Amino acid sequence: MKTLMAFLILALLVVLQIRCSGEPGVFQTYFWTSTPGTEKLYVYVDGRRLGALPRLASAPDVRSDSLERVALYTPLPSGSYRVEVKNDQGLLRVAETLEISRRGGNMRLSTSFSDHQGNGKCVWNEDRLVEELTY
């Protein structure tokens, strides 16, 4: 009886592991810029305004526990996103398509910029993605 119960528990754990490893991941995503200037810039993801884009002198450490205090944060599930940076007047400074996915241990990251509008550099560590957006 104990052996049967142990086998059933083990089988259930295996099924749960398979099911969980196939689900898309959520990335803890952070944005920042090193572009000099005083112009206030805002980040939009799929048309939704996230907030002001912080200007930093150097890249924040992707492993830092204080990352949320220095960079603009949003959780992004695996998928494709339109990321834009605009000023107060709505002038587009950066236009990017960001594609991220995670299934099990495999991660995929792809960025492309529309009409050479801006640039970006991504760094990631586990489920954290830090992107510098510049123009």
Side-chain angles (χ1 to χ4, degrees):
M1 186 65 165
K2 282 185 179 180
T3 305
L4 179 60
M5 185 63 108
F7 175 78
L8 290 174
I9 289 172
L10 182 60
L12 179 62
L13 289 173
V14 168
V15 168
L16 288 174
Q17 176 63 32
I18 291 169
R19 188 172 284 168
C20 290
S21 66
E23 293 177 2
V26 174
F27 291 83
Q28 307 307 310
T29 309
Y30 302 86
F31 297 102
W32 69 284
T33 189
S34 64
T35 301
T38 57
E39 178 179 48
K40 192 128 178 159
L41 301 171
Y42 301 93
V43 176
Y44 294 79
V45 175
D46 290 342
R48 183 177 59 97
R49 184 169 152 169
L50 295 182
L53 181 64
R55 280 194 168 77
L56 304 174
S58 62
D61 184 353
V62 71
R63 297 165 300 201
S64 171
D65 290 335
S66 63
L67 194 54
E68 269 187 61
R69 290 192 293 264
V70 296
L72 181 61
Y73 166 76
T74 189
L76 292 177
S78 293
S80 180
Y81 300 93
R82 170 89 171 160
V83 177
E84 297 175 323
V85 174
K86 299 178 184 179
N87 66 9
D88 279 325
Q89 292 75 38
L91 181 63
L92 186 63
R93 298 294 189 195
V94 178
E96 171 193 37
T97 300
L98 172 65
E99 294 181 33
I100 51 178
S101 65
R102 181 181 200 161
R103 289 200 176 267
N106 298 322
M107 291 179 61
R108 183 174 172 264
L109 170 70
S110 170
T111 61
S112 60
F113 292 85
S114 305
D115 303 322
H116 305 290
Q117 189 76 39
N119 203 350
K121 294 181 216 169
C122 294
V123 177
W124 73 87
N125 181 30
E126 297 179 12
D127 67 341
R128 285 185 175 179
L129 172 66
V130 178
E131 183 172 19
E132 176 186 14
L133 298 169
T134 59
Y135 65 95

